[in-house]
Amino acid sequence: MSTGELVIEDLRAGIPGREILQGISLTVASGQVHAVMGPNGSGKSTLAHVLMGRPGYEILGGSVTLDGIDLLALPTWQRARAGLFLAMQHPIEVPGVPLAEALAAARSSAADGGGSAAPDLAAGLEAEADRIGLDRRLLGRPLNVDLSGGERKRNETVQLAVLRPRFAVLDEIDSGLDVDALADVGRRVQAATTEWGLGVLAITHFHRLLDVLVPDVVHVLAGGRVVATGGPDLAAAVDRSGYAGYV
């Protein structure tokens, strides 16, 4: 089981002419689930994009480290190699690139880096697809091509389980999922926290994901800042009262 920390310290970032993240600080340890909640425009997806190195964002201050490795100094592929995984809010199609081929390339790169995947890719793919409720026939398609929104989120979860990263940022992985799919995805991610010590930063609008993927810590983000931190009861309070008291 992997051990370590994803440490975000006073992170400030934005787009040209606009600061969006205004000093984010939090630490996710291996095996922990941290939930980040907040209203639209609070900076949740920006946080995910900045952590993974999406082009177009400027780093204005602060640091992000994974076991002492300066992630902000690395291109996206090296952040993934160090053990960071991003499940995107809107997974994109990659025509012409089969899922197995993409995962084989990713695992090859991660072999000396942050991944810890089992060696048998084909068997692992099928086992994880069965576990998450993804039709095996979809595994032969190019990445996410002609998949529904829910199938894409299950597909992202299969990729996470096969690659076995050290830390995963889930950008609204619950959006577009029905009740059954939400339960399947949430349970698989929760199991990963004990199977190989996955640390999770789960970005979500709603409490329903956190009924399945149980957080150790909940953060409320508003105006680019963490304005409240607590346990699962904080998520329940937000669900009851909304974000008005935090904006």
Side-chain angles (χ1 to χ4, degrees):
M1 179 182 292
S2 65
T3 59
E5 289 184 330
L6 176 66
V7 180
I8 304 169
E9 292 187 340
D10 198 25
L11 180 61
R12 297 172 49 239
I15 57 177
R18 181 187 171 205
E19 183 174 341
I20 300 173
L21 303 181
Q22 301 182 23
I24 303 294
S25 295
L26 58 90
T27 298
V28 183
S30 297
Q32 286 188 338
V33 175
H34 284 235
V36 176
M37 306 180 72
N40 288 329
S42 60
K44 301 187 303 301
S45 288
T46 295
L47 176 61
H49 296 158
V50 168
L51 291 177
M52 206 66 213
R54 179 173 177 171
Y57 290 93
E58 297 178 341
I59 306 301
L60 304 174
S63 64
V64 180
T65 59
L66 196 164
D67 284 356
I69 299 171
D70 180 6
L71 292 185
L72 299 181
L74 301 178
T76 296
W77 71 270
Q78 289 188 357
R79 299 184 196 197
R81 191 173 185 272
L84 187 64
F85 179 94
L86 172 64
M88 294 184 288
Q89 182 177 354
H90 302 292
I92 62 172
E93 293 185 359
V94 187
V97 180
L99 172 61
E101 183 177 312
L103 288 177
R107 280 183 31 174
S108 175
S109 176
D112 298 320
S116 58
D120 191 337
L121 177 59
L125 263 176
E126 291 182 351
E128 291 296 343
D130 293 345
R131 186 168 179 177
I132 201 67
L134 181 69
D135 191 331
R136 286 190 183 188
R137 292 174 295 181
L138 302 180
L139 298 177
R141 293 188 183 179
L143 191 58
N144 289 324
V145 171
D146 295 329
L147 268 60
S148 68
E151 288 169 340
R152 292 186 186 201
K153 295 301 179 74
R154 290 181 191 261
N155 194 7
E156 291 274 289
T157 308
V158 167
Q159 293 173 52
L160 184 154
V162 169
L163 292 174
R164 296 195 167 204
R166 300 177 68 185
F167 292 90
V169 179
L170 312 180
D171 188 6
E172 298 192 27
I173 198 168
D174 50 333
S175 66
L177 294 181
D178 60 28
V179 173
D180 292 333
L182 178 67
D184 290 338
V185 168
R187 281 195 294 260
R188 183 65 191 99
V189 176
Q190 183 75 59
T193 64
T194 55
E195 285 179 20
W196 71 86
L198 177 70
V200 179
L201 187 63
I203 296 169
T204 182
H205 273 298
F206 305 111
H207 183 268
R208 64 174 192 158
L209 173 65
L210 306 182
D211 290 332
V212 185
L213 179 59
V214 181
D216 298 284
V217 183
V218 176
H219 309 276
V220 176
L221 194 65
R225 300 176 183 272
V226 175
V227 296
T229 295
D233 57 321
L234 177 57
V238 167
D239 193 53
R240 289 193 304 269
S241 305
Y243 295 112
Y246 301 98
V247 176

